[in-house]
Amino acid sequence: MKLAILRIHGVHCLPEEVVRHFEEEPDSVWRAGERMLRGKIRADSGISYCVSDVSSNEELIRDIRAFVRKNEHGLSELVSQGLRAELGVGVSVGDASQYTSSVLFEAEDLRIFENLGISLVFSAYPTSDEANVSDAPQ
């Protein structure tokens, strides 16, 4: 599984206003004060879109690029209004005992990378069977 989710949120976010910047309906909408699944109260409001849910890296990258290009103007406007936009990318690797970790680079980090001409690559590598056994809960 290769999955990409775009979340747009903020303390002053009005989901019904954010949705107007996109042709597609969001996959998820939440509001500040709502209780999440594990009981925590949401601090902000927002929306999310499933940008891609595919089986290959090539399809994932293609879908992300297409979504961002198609929605570039709206995304730019929302970020300029002080909302936070996060693109979450998940890649499943291995069996059920393994998991996907998350790494967040802020927009400023990406601007620095861009100015230096650095491409960002996320990789997942299987661990050895010995490492999986020694890290397993006893």
Side-chain angles (χ1 to χ4, degrees):
M1 174 193 73
K2 313 318 188 205
L3 182 68
I5 305 290
L6 178 71
R7 295 174 195 88
I8 301 168
H9 59 98
V11 175
H12 303 290
C13 177
L14 299 173
E16 59 278 1
E17 295 296 322
V18 173
V19 170
R20 293 183 187 162
H21 289 82
F22 299 90
E23 293 176 21
E24 304 88 357
E25 288 297 315
D27 294 294
S28 176
V29 175
W30 67 90
R31 300 189 188 291
E34 291 179 345
R35 190 171 302 277
M36 294 188 285
L37 290 177
R38 295 188 180 184
K40 186 176 175 184
I41 303 297
R42 290 193 181 275
D44 64 5
S45 300
I47 65 171
S48 68
Y49 288 94
C50 180
V51 174
S52 185
D53 185 357
V54 293
S55 60
S56 77
N57 291 337
E58 293 78 14
E59 291 173 297
L60 178 71
I61 292 168
R62 181 201 65 217
D63 290 351
I64 292 170
R65 286 178 178 155
F67 186 91
V68 170
R69 286 178 180 142
K70 178 180 178 183
N71 296 291
E72 186 174 0
H73 178 73
L75 287 166
S76 177
E77 191 172 314
L78 291 166
V79 170
S80 73
Q81 294 173 11
L83 297 182
R84 185 175 176 106
E86 300 171 346
L87 180 65
V89 178
V91 178
S92 60
V93 176
D95 58 28
S97 67
Q98 297 172 326
Y99 59 92
T100 302
S101 63
S102 175
V103 178
L104 173 66
F105 286 93
E106 298 289 341
E108 180 60 24
D109 300 322
L110 299 176
R111 279 191 286 279
I112 292 168
F113 293 171
E114 179 183 26
N115 290 339
L116 294 171
I118 297 173
S119 297
L120 183 59
V121 177
F122 288 93
S123 302
Y125 301 102
T127 59
S128 68
D129 288 339
E130 293 81 20
N132 286 334
V133 171
S134 65
D135 290 340
Q138 303 292 324

